Amino acid sequence: MRTALLQSSGRPGSIVENLKVLDEAAGRAAAAGAGLIVTSEMFLTGYAIGDDIARLAEPADGESADAIAEIATRHGVAVAYGYPEREAARHEDEGAPADGGARVFNSVQLISADGARLANYRKTHLFGCFEHDHFTPGDQPVVQAELDGLRVGLMICYDVEFPENVRAHALAGTDLLLVPTAQMHPFQFVAESVVPVRAFENQMYIAYVNRTGPEGEFEFVGLSTLAGPDGVARTRAGRGEELVLADADPVRLAASREANPYLKDRRPGLYGSLV
């Protein structure tokens, strides 16, 4: 499946403008034969926007989800997009915040080319004070959907830096792991080195899609990549805004899994102390 990586920070603070950016990029991706386009983390609203995160947050079935479903359908391309998800308000005895407000998650949603909402994932590992101040961590580590013959998994940024997380996806049969990202300086080694290693040791494709440029207190480093099960980057963006494409090939993946013994040679009985 040809996969397009939209390396862009969009227009922080403006959902309307970010939908326009996504619409234009989805058109270019579809024209290039892509079946899927993946955005960066928090693409819908912007990342470093402070309290506007809660103000702009939407439920998974909100107006922006409908707008993105229309974009996906019109261009005939599936879309995975990062956004702040506002949970429907709950009663206090169900774990609602003490102030009665709804929880907000750092989420990614996958919408099919026919507009169906296939899967929604909430970031499980929050990074730094900024994220802990604005988000509630999710508690479901493996979220998957079937798309064009591939089992697609969802994850966000810091999550991929925990080997247990990605191994859980490998054991659940994920073929292509989508990782919207807000990777900042000086951690570019994650994009350059960690992600290709994760793809190799877990025998899967990983689409790691970053923001770019200065935003608030952060400087995002780009370097989005789609890494293959051989540990080789099939495509690699630079530091600026860019749309890059590469193929996640199920035939090549099956051959790689047959040749690589990592998952077959595991001895889970030795690993109990890890948990």
Side-chain angles (χ1 to χ4, degrees):
M1 177 172 61
R2 181 149 296 174
T3 302
L5 316 183
L6 176 55
Q7 179 169 289
S8 173
S9 294
R11 308 294 178 265
S14 176
I15 291 176
V16 170
E17 291 302 315
N18 291 329
L19 289 174
K20 290 179 181 177
V21 172
L22 176 59
D23 189 9
E24 188 274 336
R28 286 192 286 139
L36 168 66
I37 183 170
V38 186
T39 78
S40 57
E41 181 177 0
M42 292 283 288
F43 177 81
L44 182 64
T45 60
Y47 180 91
I49 58 173
D51 292 340
D52 278 347
I53 289 173
R55 182 179 66 84
L56 296 175
E58 298 185 17
D61 60 354
E63 291 183 5
S64 293
D66 290 342
I68 292 172
E70 191 277 329
I71 290 171
T73 302
R74 179 158 39 84
H75 294 295
V77 60
V79 179
Y81 68 99
Y83 74 110
E85 179 192 356
R86 185 178 68 246
E87 184 181 50
R90 298 166 301 141
H91 297 295
E92 189 171 352
D93 59 2
E94 295 176 326
D99 62 4
R103 299 187 299 176
V104 175
F105 300 91
N106 184 337
S107 296
V108 53
Q109 181 152 228
L110 176 63
I111 293 181
S112 72
D114 61 7
R117 291 188 294 111
L118 297 180
N120 188 75
Y121 169 79
R122 296 166 170 175
K123 189 174 186 178
T124 54
H125 296 76
L126 301 181
F127 179 80
C129 296
F130 179 84
E131 291 193 7
H132 282 278
D133 287 346
H134 290 93
F135 300 109
T136 297
D139 56 12
Q140 187 174 355
V142 177
V143 173
Q144 299 169 309
E146 300 296 323
L147 185 66
D148 289 350
L150 292 173
R151 184 168 295 179
V152 175
L154 302 176
M155 195 173 280
I156 299 174
C157 197
Y158 195 39
D159 291 329
V160 81
E161 298 177 39
F162 293 81
E164 302 91 339
N165 254 17
V166 187
R167 181 52 52 88
H169 269 276
L171 297 177
T174 293
D175 299 315
L176 170 61
L177 183 62
L178 309 182
V179 189
T181 294
Q183 183 65 67
M184 58 201 68
H185 179 80
F187 305 112
Q188 48 265 36
F189 65 88
V190 175
E192 294 170 335
S193 301
V194 174
V195 170
V197 169
R198 289 283 179 272
F200 177 72
E201 68 190 5
N202 291 288
Q203 289 299 288
M204 62 175 62
Y205 288 94
I206 299 181
Y208 186 81
V209 189
N210 201 8
R211 303 179 70 81
T212 181
E215 185 180 336
E217 62 187 284
F218 308 112
E219 171 132 12
F220 300 113
V221 298
L223 302 175
S224 299
T225 186
L226 192 148
D230 55 0
V232 174
R234 294 286 183 262
T235 188
R236 170 80 69 187
R239 295 297 185 97
E241 295 212 350
E242 197 170 348
L243 182 72
V244 297
L245 297 96
D247 293 330
D249 183 350
V251 174
R252 187 184 295 271
L253 178 60
S256 182
R257 286 173 171 172
E258 182 63 28
N260 187 307
Y262 273 159
L263 298 181
K264 291 181 288 187
D265 287 350
R266 293 175 65 252
R267 297 181 62 193
L270 301 179
Y271 313 146
S273 62
L274 296 179
V275 294

